[in-house]
């Protein structure tokens, strides 16, 4: 993994958003993060691990989200970018918010993961960083980021824990082959059972049984050949007899057909004669007769058209006479229409005048009434003006006794602020008592378990560590006993001449003798269970006291803040008392002020009421003035309307031409309007009738002219048709005489016969052809039958013999096919049997080998052996640096229990425990192992560069050792290794090429400052 960018907001001491651009830091190969103790340096590593794994070393999952969030922040957000496997860029984010209503409640943390593709963030389905980094959270803290206090953890791990770590880091699980071998063995045994069952079902299929079937097949084939020859001979004889029999049948059929055709021959000859006569008459008379019929039809149609036209012409003459009589009567009324139209216009003007007179009367009445109303409004205006003057004098008197509102508000604010100070002081004192009581309750909980807030963590940690050491020792003893037990099983299974499943040797000169360890195993398991329960109880107590400790710190901080607020409030309250300067009142009693305030408010209310009353009266006065102006304008409008109506009435009187207005003054307007409507209807009727009769007369004249022309034309055409009919009749008489026909009726009778000439001629032709063919076939068949010398009476016997031969042949064919099928199946089953036997032999051998491998891979012996090899390689790599740092004095080695020891060259090369190393030497050994471990796991991340972070000081090293360490760290840059160091020692900053500094501000929290 290679970090690129980190932003932190609201995490522990980080209030506002802080960012680190790792690209400039990692480019130097070695960089540092410096700051004072408690400034927030280690929080950077915790932010990275939480973003990746949702886990931290500092807190457990109990209320962790609340405890991680800065108390002055409402949200927590972490964003981390890095280069992961296959050199891809990834981003992990974590965030949650504080509940706006309940300070102690926070939302559930939300984590998101992305991969960058062409600078675009693509969301990942899973936020599990282990799939990207190929390493768990615990081992990430051992090989990539080493938090404070855990730098030496790998060196101190027990054999079993370190083996488990090695299995995960180097993927040694694929060497744990016991379960795979067991699965394969089970699978092989199942296959052996299946094949054995299949072979048993094929026992009857042998080479001998197949040879017997082949011999039987050969005999059956010879029998079939004999029967086939006999069948062929009989079949030939039978076919010959069938052919002769068929010829006799054909002769009989042809003779019957010849007889039928001979009987039809006379009918066909008569038909030929009739058709010839019909064709002659049709050719001579058909056209002339058709022409005569057409002429007679046309003559009949012309006669009917001529009679119909004559009838229509007479009817039109009669209608014309009637229309002329009616036209003369209507013409007299039509000539008087102008006088009637003038009378209608006069009546319309009279109606207008009468309507205008009604409107003029109404406007005169409105004008008189309006003048009376206007006089009343004038009187109301005088009364309101008097009331306004009286109210203005009353308001002047009230304002003279008014109190200044600014003074009233100033004094009232002082008393209100004093009351607020007293209430706040009371609330703070009550809250302080509650928090002090809670603080003492937590102290009592510590004291009940003989612990103190300062020493409980060290005490419980020591108890857990002691129990864990004892548990590891018991686990180690249990593993050793189990190995001895397994070896005993191996030794008991050894047989002379057979290969050992472990070493492969066939000679066993010294077989191990062991004792029964079952009771020891039961006792160790019981002790292990008891210790595990003890450790769980200690861990539960640790979690409870972690929460109590956090609550105690929070309460102490809250108590200090409450005391500080009370002191500040007392100072502000004393200053407030010095601002009271009103001698008419007392600062500790506001009764006299409240009475004075009520009197001032009463005057103010009276003044306000008088002003509102004055405003209302003034508004009423203004409304009356507006009303007066409105009424005056209305009266002027009425007078103008009346004058306009009188002018329009005079104009209508001048437009009357014939009638007199006085004659209609007694009429109602509706009666006059009815007279107008009736007059207009009469005018319209006369005009319409006049136009209608005039149009009818014109149409009748046109029709008479048209019908006269048509009648003359039809008469001429009728005479021409009659002449043509006479000529056609003469032509037919001449044809009758010329061709010796008696009359036209006889000719017509012949033509009435309907012949389909084409069909009848085809019928005659086919009859003649068929007759000739039948006659020729009959002669040919009689000649052929005379040439054949066969006894047709033998056909029945030959048929029976042929059927028997056929049945015998089919039976032999069926038997032969059945034998072939049996032989084919037998060969196939025998081949399957051979294949199954070969497979059975192979599986039996495989099962034997798997049994040997299963015995070899029982337990974790093989995996532990591989883990030991990896651990020795790791130790070898670490010694390259460790021997240089210790000037060749010390060397790391692995003992028989996979624990680290040191070989001391200054003491004859003897080995001793790593726990005997000094603090500085232990740090050097831990550093070398951590670098070797990170280097060995480099291929896991598949990156060009890999990153290693150390949260550890160098205070235990002398100057020369520090120089060697930094020389080693600088050399890592050439190996594409990047190392980051977190330290509170400012002197180290001079040795680091680039770095960032963490400072903690009391108001702003932790801040990140860059030195590049």
């Amino acid at each position: 993994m290679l970090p690129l960018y980190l932003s932190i907001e609201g995490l522990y001491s980080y209030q506002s958003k802080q960012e680190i651009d790792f690209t400039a830091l990692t480019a130097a190969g070695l960089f540092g993060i410096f700051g004072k103790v408690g400034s927030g340096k280690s929080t950077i590593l915790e932010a990275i691990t939480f973003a990746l794994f949702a886990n931290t070393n500092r807190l457990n999952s109990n209320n962790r989200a609340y405890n991680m969030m800065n108390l002055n922040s409402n949200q927590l957000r972490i964003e981390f970018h890095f280069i992961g496997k296959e050199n891809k860029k990834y981003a992990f984010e974590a965030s949650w918010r504080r509940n706006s209503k309940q300070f102690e409640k926070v939302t559930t943390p939300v984590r998101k993961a992305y991969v960058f593709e062409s600078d675009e963030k693509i969301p990942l389905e899973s936020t599990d960083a282990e799939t990207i980094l190929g390493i768990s959270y615990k081992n990430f803290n051992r090989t990539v980021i080493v938090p404070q206090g855990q730098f030496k953890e790998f060196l101190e791990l027990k054999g079993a824990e370190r083996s488990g770590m090695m299995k995960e880091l180097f993927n040694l699980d694929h060497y744990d082959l016991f379960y795979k071998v067991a699965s394969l063995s089970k699978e092989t045994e199942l296959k052996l059972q299946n094949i054995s069952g299949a072979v048993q079902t094929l026992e009857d299929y042998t080479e001998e049984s197949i040879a017997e079937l082949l011999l039987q097949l050969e005999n059956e084939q010879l029998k079939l050949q004999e029967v086939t020859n006999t069948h062929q001979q009989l079949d030939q004889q039978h076919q010959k007899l069938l052919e002769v029999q068929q010829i006799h049948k054909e002769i009989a059929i042809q003779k019957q057909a010849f007889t039928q055709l001979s009987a039809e021959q006379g009918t066909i000859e008569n038909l030929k004669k009739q058709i010839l006569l019909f064709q002659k008459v049709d050719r001579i008379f058909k056209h002339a007769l058709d022409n005569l019929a057409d002429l007679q039809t046309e003559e009949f149609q012309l006669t009917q058209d001529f009679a119909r036209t004559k009838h229509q012409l007479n009817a039109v003459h009669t209608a014309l006479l009637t229309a002329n009589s009616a036209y003369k009567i209507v013409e007299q009324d039509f000539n008087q229409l102008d006088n009637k139209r003038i009378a209608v216009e006069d009546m319309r003007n009279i109606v207008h005048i009468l309507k205008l007179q009604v409107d003029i009367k109404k406007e005169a009445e409105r004008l008189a009434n309006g003048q009376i109303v206007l006089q009343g409004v004038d009187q109301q205006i005088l009364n309101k003006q008097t009331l306004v003057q009286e109210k203005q004098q009353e308001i002047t008197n009230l304002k003279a006794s008014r109190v200044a509102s600014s003074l009233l508000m100033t004094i009232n604010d002082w008393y209100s602020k004093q009351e607020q100070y007293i209430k706040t002081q009371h609330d703070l004192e009550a809250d302080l008592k509650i928090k002090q009581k809670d603080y003492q309750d937590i102290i009592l909980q510590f004291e009940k378990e003989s612990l103190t807030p300062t020493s409980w963590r060290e005490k419980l940690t020591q108890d857990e560590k002691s129990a864990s050491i004892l548990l590891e020792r018991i686990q180690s003893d249990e593993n050793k006993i189990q190995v001895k037990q397994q070896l005993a099983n191996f030794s008991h299974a050894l047989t002379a001449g057979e290969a050992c499943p472990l070493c492969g040797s066939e000679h066993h000169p010294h077989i191990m003798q062991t004792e029964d360890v079952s009771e020891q195993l039961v006792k160790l398991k019981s002790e292990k269970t008891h210790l595990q329960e003890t450790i769980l109880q200690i861990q539960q107590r640790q979690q409870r006291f972690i929460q109590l400790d956090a609550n105690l710190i929070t309460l102490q901080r809250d108590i200090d803040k409450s005391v500080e607020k009370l002191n500040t409030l007392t100072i502000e309250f004393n200053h407030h008392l010095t601002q009271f300067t009103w001698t008419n009142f007392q600062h500790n009693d506001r009764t006299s002020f409240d009475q004075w305030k009520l009197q001032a408010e009463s005057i103010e209310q009276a003044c306000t009421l008088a002003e509102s009353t004055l405003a209302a009266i003034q508004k009423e006065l203004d409304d009356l003035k507006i009303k007066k102006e409105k009424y005056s304008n209305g009266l002027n409008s009425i007078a103008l309307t009346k004058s306009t109506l009188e002018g329009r009435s005079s104009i209508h009187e001048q437009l009357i031409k014939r009638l007199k207005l006085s004659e209609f003054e007694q009429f109602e307007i509706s009666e006059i309007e009815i007279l107008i409507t009736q007059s207009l209807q009469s005018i319209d009727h006369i005009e319409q009738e006049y136009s209608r009769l005039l149009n009818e007369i014109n149409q009748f004249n046109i029709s008479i002219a048209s019908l006269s022309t048509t009648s003359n034309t039809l008469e001429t055409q009728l005479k021409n048709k009659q002449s043509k009919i006479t000529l056609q009749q003469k032509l037919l008489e001449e044809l009758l005489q010329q061709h010796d026909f008696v009359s036209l009726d006889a000719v017509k009778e012949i033509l009435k016969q309907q012949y389909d000439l084409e069909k009848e001629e085809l019928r005659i032709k086919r009859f003649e052809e068929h007759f000739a063919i039948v006659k020729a076939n009959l002669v040919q068949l009689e000649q052929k039958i005379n040439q054949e010398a066969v006894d047709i009476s033998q056909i029945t016997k030959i048929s029976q013999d042929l059927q028997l031969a056929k049945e015998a042949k089919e039976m032999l064919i069926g038997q032969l096919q059945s034998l072939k099928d049996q032989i084919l199946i037998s060969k196939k089953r025998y081949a399957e049997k051979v294949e199954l036997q070969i497979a059975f032999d192979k599986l039996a051998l495989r099962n034997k080998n798997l049994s040997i491998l299963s015995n070899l891979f029982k337990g974790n012996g093989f995996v532990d052996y591989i883990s030991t090899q990896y651990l020795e390689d790791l130790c070898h790599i670490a010694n390259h640096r460790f021997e240089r740092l210790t000037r060749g004095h010390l060397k790391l080695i692995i003992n028989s229990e996979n624990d680290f020891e040191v070989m001391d060259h200054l003491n004859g090369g003897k080995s001793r425990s790593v726990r005997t190393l000094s603090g500085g030497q232990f740090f050097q050994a831990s550093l070398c192992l951590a670098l070797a471990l990170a280097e060995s796991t480099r291929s896991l991340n598949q990156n060009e560069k890999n990153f290693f972070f150390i949260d550890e000081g160098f205070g235990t090293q002398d100057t020369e050792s520090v120089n060697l360490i930094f020389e080693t760290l600088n050399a890592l840059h050439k190996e594409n290794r990047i190392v980051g160091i977190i330290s509170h020692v400012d002197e180290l900053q001079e040795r680091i090429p680039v770095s960032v500094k963490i400072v903690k501000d009391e108001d702003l929290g932790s801040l990140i400052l860059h030195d590049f």
Side-chain angles (χ1 to χ4, degrees):
M1 182 197 75
L2 183 65
L4 300 176
Y5 168 81
L6 175 67
S7 69
I8 307 173
E9 179 182 359
L11 177 63
Y12 295 129
S13 59
Y14 289 82
Q15 293 184 25
S16 59
K17 182 178 180 180
Q18 300 295 310
E19 299 174 289
I20 297 179
D21 181 4
F22 281 103
T23 54
L25 296 174
T26 56
L30 178 64
F31 66 91
I33 297 177
F34 295 96
K36 294 181 179 180
V37 175
S39 61
K41 303 183 299 301
S42 299
T43 301
I44 293 173
L45 299 187
E46 193 163 349
I48 294 174
T49 55
F50 191 85
L52 293 174
F53 298 97
N55 204 347
T56 65
N57 289 318
R58 193 183 306 190
L59 297 173
N60 58 14
S61 58
N62 184 21
N63 207 20
R64 177 168 57 193
Y66 168 77
N67 291 320
M68 289 178 69
M69 185 179 291
N70 187 283
L71 293 175
N72 293 322
S73 299
N74 292 323
Q75 71 168 353
L76 187 152
R77 178 175 173 81
I78 304 169
E79 182 175 356
F80 180 54
H81 297 186
F82 64 93
I83 300 294
K85 64 180 180 181
E86 299 177 359
N87 286 323
K88 289 185 178 181
K89 181 179 177 182
Y90 295 87
F92 274 69
E93 298 175 1
S95 62
W96 59 92
R97 302 183 63 84
R98 193 183 301 281
N99 190 302
S100 58
K101 296 181 180 179
Q102 293 180 282
F103 184 84
E104 295 80 7
K105 301 290 184 181
V106 296
T107 61
T108 302
V110 176
R111 294 177 61 249
K112 299 178 181 178
Y114 305 88
V115 62
F116 287 84
E117 294 183 4
S118 301
D119 295 331
E120 182 181 358
K121 290 170 69 175
I122 308 298
L124 296 175
E125 294 182 359
S126 171
T127 58
D128 184 9
E130 186 171 346
T131 59
I132 296 173
L133 300 175
I135 192 171
S136 67
Y137 163 73
K138 183 178 290 186
N139 289 327
F140 181 82
N141 281 338
R142 292 167 175 167
T143 61
V144 180
I145 292 180
V146 184
Q148 191 173 29
Q150 296 186 21
F151 189 65
K152 58 183 180 179
E153 181 183 1
F154 180 70
L155 192 60
E156 294 178 336
L157 283 175
K158 296 299 180 181
E161 291 182 0
R162 189 182 297 108
S163 295
M165 176 182 171
M166 297 293 288
K167 284 174 63 176
E168 179 182 334
L169 287 177
F170 296 102
N171 297 318
L172 301 183
D173 287 332
H174 65 277
Y175 291 109
D176 188 2
L177 304 176
F178 174 75
Y179 295 104
K180 293 181 181 179
V181 170
S183 176
L184 289 174
S185 180
K186 185 176 180 181
E187 180 183 348
T188 302
E189 288 177 357
L190 182 61
K191 288 180 179 179
L192 281 171
Q193 293 174 4
N194 293 335
I195 291 174
S196 177
V199 169
Q200 289 177 3
T201 62
L202 300 174
E203 285 182 352
D204 295 335
Y205 296 98
T206 62
E207 292 182 354
E208 292 76 10
S209 63
I210 295 172
E212 290 178 2
L213 289 173
L214 288 173
L215 180 60
Q216 188 179 352
L217 175 64
E218 185 178 354
N219 296 330
E220 293 295 330
Q221 286 175 340
L222 292 173
K223 291 180 182 179
L224 177 62
Q225 184 62 42
E226 294 176 359
V227 173
T228 302
N229 294 336
T230 303
H231 180 268
Q232 287 178 352
Q233 292 173 1
L234 290 171
D235 186 57
Q236 290 173 0
Q237 296 175 12
H238 185 259
Q239 293 297 327
K240 189 66 173 178
L241 289 170
L242 288 176
E243 290 176 3
V244 173
Q245 187 182 42
Q246 185 64 31
I247 292 172
H248 282 287
K249 289 180 180 179
E250 288 292 332
I251 291 172
I253 293 170
Q254 293 297 328
K255 284 181 178 181
Q256 184 180 1
F258 183 77
T259 303
Q260 292 176 353
L261 291 173
S262 298
E264 293 180 11
Q265 193 171 17
T267 304
I268 296 299
E269 289 298 328
N270 290 332
L271 180 60
K272 286 174 69 177
K273 292 177 182 179
Q274 290 175 5
I275 289 173
L276 289 173
L277 178 61
F278 177 80
Q279 289 176 338
K280 178 181 178 181
V281 172
D282 184 73
R283 184 177 68 256
I284 296 170
F285 292 99
K286 183 69 167 61
H287 181 67
L289 287 172
D290 289 344
N291 288 339
L292 179 60
D294 292 340
L295 289 172
Q296 288 174 344
T297 301
E298 292 173 358
E299 178 195 16
F300 177 75
Q301 186 65 41
L302 287 171
T303 301
Q304 286 186 335
D305 291 344
F306 179 72
R308 185 167 54 254
T309 303
K310 279 291 186 181
H311 177 73
Q312 291 177 353
L313 185 60
N314 293 332
V316 171
H317 276 296
T318 302
L320 179 60
L321 291 174
T322 304
N324 283 329
S325 300
Y327 176 76
K328 290 178 181 180
I329 295 170
V330 173
E331 187 178 18
Q332 294 176 1
D333 294 336
F334 184 77
N335 292 333
Q336 296 296 322
L337 286 180
D338 291 339
N339 293 331
K340 287 188 175 183
R341 289 191 180 95
I342 292 172
V344 168
E345 288 299 321
D346 287 348
M347 284 190 288
R348 285 176 173 170
N349 287 320
I350 289 170
V351 168
H352 284 305
I353 291 169
L354 294 176
K355 289 181 177 179
L356 289 170
Q357 286 177 353
V358 173
D359 292 340
I360 289 169
K361 184 177 179 181
K362 288 181 180 179
E363 294 300 322
E365 292 175 355
R366 289 180 64 199
L367 188 61
N369 294 333
Q371 289 174 348
I372 294 171
V373 172
L374 185 62
Q375 290 175 359
V377 171
D378 288 336
Q379 184 61 43
Q380 290 178 4
I381 289 173
L382 289 174
N383 294 338
K384 293 296 179 182
Q385 287 176 341
T386 302
L387 287 174
V388 166
Q389 292 175 356
E390 292 174 356
K391 282 294 176 184
Q392 287 176 341
Q393 184 61 42
E394 181 182 352
I395 290 170
T396 302
N397 296 335
L398 286 170
K399 286 184 176 181
S401 60
R402 207 171 184 178
V403 178
S405 59
S406 59
L407 176 62
L408 188 67
M409 290 177 63
T410 302
I411 299 174
N412 186 69
D413 289 344
W414 191 93
Y415 278 114
S416 298
K417 196 171 183 180
Q418 183 189 37
E419 292 170 355
Q420 183 63 36
Y421 275 129
I422 293 171
K423 182 178 181 302
T424 303
Q425 185 178 16
H426 179 266
D427 293 343
L428 286 173
E429 288 174 350
D431 183 60
L432 179 61
K433 289 180 181 179
I434 291 171
K435 289 177 180 177
Q436 288 173 340
K437 183 179 180 302
D438 293 341
Y439 186 88
Q440 291 300 323
D441 291 342
I442 294 174
I443 295 295
L444 286 174
Q445 292 186 46
F446 279 98
E447 292 175 352
K448 283 179 182 179
E449 300 195 26
S450 302
L451 296 173
T452 65
T454 56
S455 64
W456 68 269
R457 190 186 301 271
E458 182 179 356
K459 175 68 168 58
L460 292 180
T461 302
Q462 184 60 40
D463 291 346
E464 181 184 10
K465 187 175 181 180
S466 300
S468 298
I469 292 170
L470 185 57
L471 178 63
E472 289 174 3
R473 189 176 303 151
I474 292 172
Q475 182 65 52
S476 177
D477 293 343
E478 184 182 15
N479 291 339
K480 290 177 181 178
I481 292 173
Q482 288 176 344
V483 170
K484 288 180 180 180
Q485 190 180 40
Q486 188 61 43
L487 290 174
N489 293 336
F490 280 135
S491 64
H492 293 156
L494 291 177
T495 304
E498 293 185 1
C500 175
L502 295 178
C503 65
S505 175
E506 297 180 355
H507 302 285
H508 321 293
H510 303 288
I511 297 177
M512 182 179 68
Q513 301 296 323
T514 58
E515 59 183 1
D516 186 8
V517 292
S518 301
E519 293 183 0
Q520 296 180 30
L521 280 174
V522 172
K523 182 180 179 182
L524 287 173
K525 286 181 179 179
S526 174
E527 293 177 356
K528 184 171 71 172
T529 301
H530 176 70
L531 280 173
Q532 288 173 341
E533 292 175 354
T534 302
I535 292 172
L536 180 62
Q537 292 174 359
I538 294 171
Q539 290 174 346
Q540 291 174 348
R541 290 180 68 198
Q542 284 178 330
Q543 297 303 322
R544 185 163 63 87
F545 281 108
I546 286 172
Q547 185 62 46
L548 289 173
D549 191 32
N551 294 342
L552 195 66
I553 293 171
T554 302
L555 284 172
Q556 184 60 57
R557 183 170 61 250
D558 292 345
I559 290 170
D560 293 342
K561 287 184 179 179
S562 297
V563 171
E564 183 180 355
K565 287 180 180 178
L566 277 172
N567 294 334
T568 303
L569 186 66
T570 302
I571 294 170
E572 292 177 353
F573 182 64
N574 292 333
H575 176 70
H576 178 69
L577 290 175
T578 60
Q579 295 178 346
F580 191 84
T581 58
W582 303 282
T583 57
N584 296 333
F585 310 109
Q586 296 179 357
H587 69 83
N588 56 355
D589 185 9
R590 62 175 294 166
T591 304
S592 57
F593 167 73
D594 288 338
Q595 293 175 354
W596 181 67
K597 179 181 176 183
L598 288 174
Q599 293 175 0
E601 289 176 349
S602 176
I603 295 171
E604 189 67 30
Q605 289 174 358
C607 185
T608 301
L609 179 62
E611 288 176 344
S612 63
T613 304
L614 176 62
I617 296 171
Q618 187 65 49
K619 184 177 183 305
E620 292 175 357
L621 178 61
D622 294 338
D623 292 343
L624 287 171
K625 290 179 179 179
I626 292 170
K627 187 183 291 185
K628 177 183 177 182
E629 183 178 0
K630 180 180 177 182
Y631 287 168
S632 298
N633 293 335
L635 290 174
N636 293 335
S637 176
I638 293 170
L640 179 61
T641 303
K642 180 173 175 294
S643 175
T644 302
L645 292 172
E646 290 172 347
R648 290 171 58 190
S649 177
S650 175
I651 292 171
H652 283 293
E653 287 181 7
Q654 295 174 5
L655 293 175
I656 298 174
K657 295 180 179 179
R658 292 183 180 277
L659 301 179
K660 293 182 179 179
L661 177 63
S662 59
E663 295 176 355
F664 291 91
E665 288 180 348
Q666 301 303 320
F667 286 85
E668 294 290 335
I669 293 175
S670 59
E671 295 175 347
I672 299 172
E673 289 176 341
I674 291 171
L675 289 174
I676 292 171
T677 302
Q678 292 175 348
S679 298
L680 289 173
Q681 291 175 350
S682 176
I683 291 169
D684 290 341
H685 177 71
I686 291 169
E687 287 180 339
Q688 292 173 1
E689 191 66 19
Y690 180 81
S691 298
R692 185 183 66 78
L693 291 171
L694 188 61
N695 288 333
E696 282 185 0
I697 292 169
N698 290 334
Q699 290 295 327
F700 287 150
N701 288 329
I702 293 169
S703 297
I704 289 170
S706 175
L707 289 170
S708 297
T709 302
T710 303
S711 177
N712 294 333
T713 302
L714 290 173
E715 187 177 7
T716 304
Q717 291 177 352
L718 182 59
K719 290 178 180 179
N720 291 334
K721 291 296 179 183
Q722 290 171 347
S723 300
K724 290 181 179 181
I725 289 171
T726 302
L727 293 173
Q728 193 67 24
Q729 288 173 343
K730 288 180 180 181
L731 175 63
L732 286 170
E733 290 294 337
E734 292 175 356
L735 290 172
L736 287 171
Q737 295 175 1
Q738 182 179 354
H739 294 284
D740 297 327
F741 284 98
V742 178
S743 65
L744 282 175
D745 293 335
V747 171
K748 290 179 179 177
E749 284 297 326
I750 293 171
L751 290 173
K752 284 181 180 179
Q753 298 179 12
Q754 299 294 326
Y755 290 105
D756 187 346
L757 295 177
E758 184 178 354
K759 180 179 179 182
E760 296 297 338
E761 288 175 353
L762 181 60
R763 175 187 168 192
I764 294 168
K765 181 180 178 182
R766 287 179 176 174
F767 175 81
E768 292 174 345
E769 291 176 351
H770 188 204
F771 186 79
I773 291 170
V774 170
K775 188 175 181 181
N777 287 341
L778 187 59
V779 173
Q780 185 180 2
L781 288 170
E782 288 177 346
Q783 291 174 354
K784 188 174 181 181
I785 199 66
N786 293 329
Q787 295 173 359
E788 297 290 343
V790 178
D791 186 3
I792 197 170
S793 61
Q794 296 293 320
I795 190 169
T796 303
K797 183 178 182 303
I798 296 297
S799 297
Q800 292 175 354
D801 293 342
L802 180 63
Q803 182 63 31
L804 292 173
K806 182 181 178 182
E807 292 175 356
K809 179 182 176 182
E810 290 177 350
M811 182 180 68
L812 286 172
I813 290 173
Q815 292 175 355
L816 192 63
Q817 186 61 44
S818 176
L819 278 172
K820 289 180 179 179
D821 292 341
Q822 289 181 27
I823 292 169
L824 183 63
I825 292 171
S826 296
K827 288 181 177 180
K828 184 178 179 181
R829 294 289 186 268
Y830 181 72
E832 291 176 0
K833 179 181 176 182
V834 172
E835 291 179 359
L836 289 172
Q837 191 62 50
I838 293 171
F840 183 85
D841 294 340
K842 290 181 178 179
L843 286 172
L845 179 60
R846 175 181 174 83
N847 193 40
K848 182 178 179 182
N849 294 333
L850 287 172
S851 178
I852 295 171
L853 289 174
S854 178
N855 293 329
L856 180 63
F857 294 137
K858 280 183 179 178
N860 291 321
F862 188 65
V863 177
D864 291 339
Y865 170 75
I866 298 297
S867 175
T868 301
Q869 297 304 310
Y870 273 87
L871 194 60
E872 289 178 354
D873 292 341
L874 185 68
C875 187
H876 178 70
I877 296 170
N879 278 325
H880 289 306
R881 297 187 178 96
F882 184 60
E883 288 184 279
R884 185 162 175 262
L885 290 173
T886 60
R887 302 168 185 83
H889 297 164
L890 299 174
K891 179 181 179 180
L892 291 169
I893 59 173
I894 305 296
N895 63 16
S896 59
E897 295 182 356
N898 274 1
D899 286 330
F900 283 107
E901 293 184 350
V902 289
M903 181 182 290
D904 191 345
H905 292 295
L906 294 179
N907 291 292
K910 294 180 180 180
S911 61
R912 53 189 170 92
S913 172
V914 292
R915 300 180 185 277
T916 61
L917 294 174
S918 66
Q921 291 172 335
F922 204 96
F923 174 80
Q924 290 173 347
S926 300
L927 174 62
C928 293
L929 276 173
L931 292 175
L933 189 62
E935 184 175 332
S936 298
T937 58
R938 177 177 180 179
S939 60
L940 296 176
N941 293 322
Q942 302 175 8
N943 290 332
E944 294 178 358
K945 292 186 176 183
N946 277 287
F947 175 71
F948 182 67
F949 224 136
I950 302 173
D951 185 4
E952 191 77 26
F954 293 88
T956 59
Q957 304 297 303
D958 56 29
T959 303
E960 186 176 355
S961 296
V962 169
N963 291 334
L964 284 172
I965 290 173
F966 272 92
E967 183 180 342
T968 300
L969 295 177
N970 283 318
L972 292 175
H973 183 47
K974 299 177 182 179
E975 303 172 11
N976 279 333
R977 298 290 298 171
I978 299 167
V979 179
I981 295 175
I982 293 181
S983 178
H984 62 277
V985 182
D986 291 338
E987 291 77 4
L988 295 177
Q989 191 169 358
E990 299 177 0
R991 296 175 173 269
I992 306 296
V994 292
S995 63
V996 296
K997 190 171 184 179
I998 312 299
V999 297
K1000 188 172 182 180
D1001 187 274
E1002 292 184 359
D1003 296 325
L1004 302 178
S1006 295
L1007 303 175
I1008 297 176
L1009 306 178
H1010 295 79
D1011 289 343
F1012 54 88

